[in-house]
Amino acid sequence: GLFVWSKTMKKVCFFMFLLCLNAASFLVSAESQTCPADLGGKCSDSDEWQGEFFPGIPQIKYEGPSSKNPLAYRWYNAEEEILGKKMKEWFRFSVAFWHTFRGTGGDPFGAATKYWPWEDGTNSVSMAKRRMRANFEFLKKLGVDWWCFHDRDIAPDGNTLEESNKNLDEVIELAKELQKGSKIRPLWGTAQLFLHPRYMHGGATSSEVGVYAYAAAQVKKAMEVTHYLGGENYVFWGGREGYQTLLNTDMERELDHMARFFESAVAYKKKIGFNGTLLIEPKPQEPTKHQYDWDAATAANFLRKYGLINEFKLNIECNHATLSGHTCHHELETARINGLLGNIDANTGDAQTGWDTDQFLTDVGEATMIMMSVIKNGGIAPGGFNFDAKLRRESTDVEDLFIAHISGMDTVARGLRNAAKILEDGRLSELVGKRYSSWDSELGKQIEEGKADFEYLEKKAKEFGEPKVPSAKQELAEMIFQSAM
């Protein structure tokens, strides 16, 4: 026969359905540590968490290359010295709060897949505080002293600017308290000027002056709290500072406005005594069709034009480099030779995927080239390596957060070891030196010192006759490079 559901039974089933949505992916040993999204229970009213956020995850330690323990470092040995610096000083590893604690696994074609056990289904201040506690436990177990944040990722947006600032202050006070007795500090902070509808036309480059003012106020506050927590850098990522079409865009005026915005940021930084580095993060497109900070060279040109070249450095993201048609190594070298290499967002993309996939860097060859630039730069302090990377949509276990960071840290550490081998071996440097040896001649020196004009060069060309052009030895260079892997 037919089974007729009562109203009470329907309510019970619907409630159970909500619980399943929130907790299906995470079966934890202690049910008391899981907060259901009931919106009325004690979990929603308190930021306190009974027990560990990551039970069963030990302090991550170095066990060496032969270890098969996924929760141990195989190549990253924090205290080991390489080329005169401890490994931890070369890297200054940082965890990206937005991907690690706000990433949901959602994409344009699918809903969220990650429901961390400490989440209660709200975006409340109390939930924000609980995430901050989880962040500090994660950092301590990973053995990392740095983290990065967007203001609106660590504290919810309010109905007014004043309310948003109040929410942020509450969470920042907790972070300040959690920092006590530890070395943990923000590597950098930033303002999220891309998610809210008010920023649909950009922030510093918006066509609406009121939006420009609001963006300035938001950056002012984000810079203050970064300074308050002892952060060493502040980042500008212009996700919507660009255009979709020039048919309705005054590009010159927008660039002028962005320069005025950065000038104000420099002035305020000095006013509050913030000695951190201001960083611009280049990206070519996505979400806008064309973003003004397209790549390292474009950003450098902008800074020079507006007289800001001595006030900023660049935060190079490897995935952004590939989207702009370059390698990460190219972008790092462009920043380095312009004196602008300040920080690295260590991630990678997928050659078969056309968007910014933000994957953890696991290519040892790419990591080795990255570290060759960092070594040439003498390190990147007060910047560091921020893992602006997220778990794959299908990776849904809490321990995956640790495994992903361990893998990324080991990859870059292995890159450092390889780069040191290449430098100590000397063959690659010798090959490059030999290729340019003709410039060590008297004529080469005259040209490099600006003492050879066209008439003089014409005279020398007639004396030399047809020049002999030697091999570039690319295959040999690649063989030497690969031998260090």
Side-chain angles (χ1 to χ4, degrees):
L2 297 176
F3 179 77
V4 182
W5 284 17
S6 67
K7 289 183 179 180
T8 300
M9 182 61 72
K10 288 180 180 178
K11 288 180 180 178
V12 170
C13 291
F14 180 69
F15 178 69
M16 293 302 295
F17 171 71
L18 289 178
L19 288 180
C20 290
L21 278 180
N22 191 55
S25 297
F26 298 99
L27 301 176
V28 294
S29 58
E31 291 185 5
S32 63
Q33 290 180 329
T34 301
C35 288
D38 57 11
L39 306 185
K42 61 181 181 180
C43 292
S44 301
D45 301 326
S46 172
D47 63 2
E48 296 301 322
W49 177 256
Q50 303 302 317
E52 294 180 272
F53 288 90
F54 305 99
I57 304 292
Q59 179 75 34
I60 309 302
K61 297 179 180 179
Y62 173 72
E63 293 186 0
S66 63
S67 175
K68 293 194 169 36
N69 179 6
L71 294 176
Y73 298 118
R74 297 175 61 223
W75 300 97
Y76 175 60
N77 186 6
E79 299 297 325
E80 182 181 348
E81 281 199 12
I82 293 181
L83 300 178
K85 289 183 195 287
K86 292 181 179 180
M87 293 188 86
K88 66 181 183 181
E89 294 169 351
W90 278 114
F91 299 121
R92 293 161 57 87
F93 284 128
S94 168
V95 170
F97 189 95
W98 54 98
H99 283 321
T100 305
F101 293 99
R102 302 309 306 273
T104 67
D107 65 22
F109 307 99
T113 61
K114 304 181 201 314
Y115 305 92
W116 303 133
W118 54 82
E119 291 287 333
D120 67 6
T122 73
N123 191 30
S124 62
V125 172
S126 62
M127 186 63 246
K129 289 182 179 180
R130 194 182 309 147
R131 291 190 197 102
M132 187 59 68
R133 292 183 186 278
N135 176 48
F136 273 76
E137 183 181 318
F138 183 77
L139 292 167
K140 289 174 181 177
K141 286 194 169 183
L142 201 62
V144 169
D145 292 334
W146 306 96
W147 62 290
C148 298
F149 67 91
H150 297 86
D151 53 357
R152 297 301 182 255
D153 289 331
I154 62 172
D157 215 344
N159 293 321
T160 64
L161 181 62
E162 292 85 356
E163 187 178 320
S164 296
N165 288 347
K166 181 176 179 294
N167 292 344
L168 185 57
D169 283 338
E170 271 199 65
V171 178
I172 289 299
E173 282 305 320
L174 174 62
K176 187 77 168 180
E177 177 188 325
L178 294 171
Q179 283 185 175
K180 290 179 181 177
S182 76
K183 295 181 180 178
I184 295 174
R185 297 289 184 274
L187 184 65
W188 51 261
T190 188
Q192 190 192 77
L193 305 181
F194 51 87
L195 183 62
H196 196 282
R198 78 173 68 89
Y199 296 123
M200 69 172 74
H201 306 307
T205 61
S206 177
S207 52
E208 293 299 315
V209 70
V211 175
Y212 182 100
Y214 200 105
Q218 193 173 331
V219 168
K220 173 181 177 290
K221 182 64 176 179
M223 194 179 293
E224 288 169 356
V225 300
T226 301
H227 179 39
Y228 180 67
L229 291 177
E232 295 197 24
N233 305 270
Y234 185 87
V235 167
F236 293 88
W237 176 63
R240 298 196 186 276
E241 311 297 0
Y243 60 82
Q244 302 293 351
T245 174
L246 286 173
L247 293 175
N248 66 354
T249 301
D250 187 336
M251 184 167 65
E252 183 177 15
R253 199 171 190 183
E254 289 193 1
L255 286 168
D256 286 346
H257 292 169
M258 190 162 73
R260 299 290 87 78
F261 195 92
F262 286 157
E263 287 172 357
S264 296
V266 170
Y268 193 67
K269 164 194 160 176
K270 294 176 180 178
K271 182 176 182 178
I272 65 175
F274 177 44
N275 295 320
T277 303
L278 300 181
L279 299 162
I280 292 176
E281 182 176 326
K283 187 181 183 184
Q285 69 253 334
E286 192 196 45
T288 58
K289 180 179 179 180
H290 184 111
Q291 283 159 220
Y292 292 131
D293 300 319
W294 182 272
D295 60 7
T298 306
N301 182 63
F302 170 86
L303 292 172
R304 280 199 182 88
K305 176 182 177 182
Y306 290 101
L308 294 165
I309 195 71
N310 295 320
E311 303 291 351
F312 285 81
K313 289 192 175 183
L314 301 183
N315 177 39
I316 301 298
E317 179 173 319
C318 292
N319 200 170
H320 293 179
T322 53
L323 289 175
S324 66
H326 306 302
T327 64
C328 189
H329 195 199
H330 168 90
E331 286 291 272
L332 293 172
E333 282 296 279
T334 301
R336 184 185 69 79
I337 64 179
N338 281 281
L340 295 173
L341 180 52
N343 196 80
I344 297 173
D345 273 3
N347 62 12
T348 191
D350 190 316
Q352 293 176 295
T353 305
W355 64 77
D356 191 3
T357 55
D358 283 334
Q359 296 170 226
F360 279 86
L361 178 63
T362 57
D363 185 326
V364 176
E366 184 175 9
T368 301
M369 288 187 280
I370 288 170
M371 291 313 302
M372 288 171 71
S373 287
V374 172
I375 290 170
K376 287 180 182 178
N377 201 62
I380 51 176
F385 280 75
N386 176 48
F387 285 108
D388 188 2
K390 56 192 174 187
L391 294 180
R392 296 303 87 203
R393 176 176 167 77
E394 303 81 8
S395 298
T396 56
D397 291 340
V398 170
E399 76 164 3
D400 293 335
L401 290 170
F402 284 89
I403 291 170
H405 283 83
I406 291 166
S407 177
M409 292 165 73
D410 267 346
T411 298
V412 183
R414 197 171 177 184
L416 173 61
R417 293 177 186 277
N418 290 343
K421 280 186 201 174
I422 290 169
L423 288 172
E424 289 167 349
D425 173 77
R427 286 181 295 160
L428 193 58
S429 297
E430 184 181 340
L431 184 151
V432 175
K434 186 176 180 180
R435 187 180 178 206
Y436 293 91
S437 60
S438 70
W439 287 89
D440 297 328
S441 65
E442 185 61 31
L443 177 60
K445 291 177 182 178
Q446 288 175 322
I447 295 171
E448 290 179 342
E449 293 171 0
K451 297 177 180 178
D453 58 23
F454 271 10
E455 287 83 2
Y456 180 69
L457 291 171
E458 180 187 41
K459 176 184 175 183
K460 300 303 290 184
K462 289 177 179 177
E463 288 179 12
F464 294 154
E466 185 62 31
K468 294 179 180 179
V469 183
S471 170
K473 294 292 185 183
Q474 179 175 331
E475 291 73 18
L476 178 57
E478 291 167 347
M479 179 186 289
I480 295 169
F481 179 81
Q482 290 297 331
S483 69
M485 298 297 104

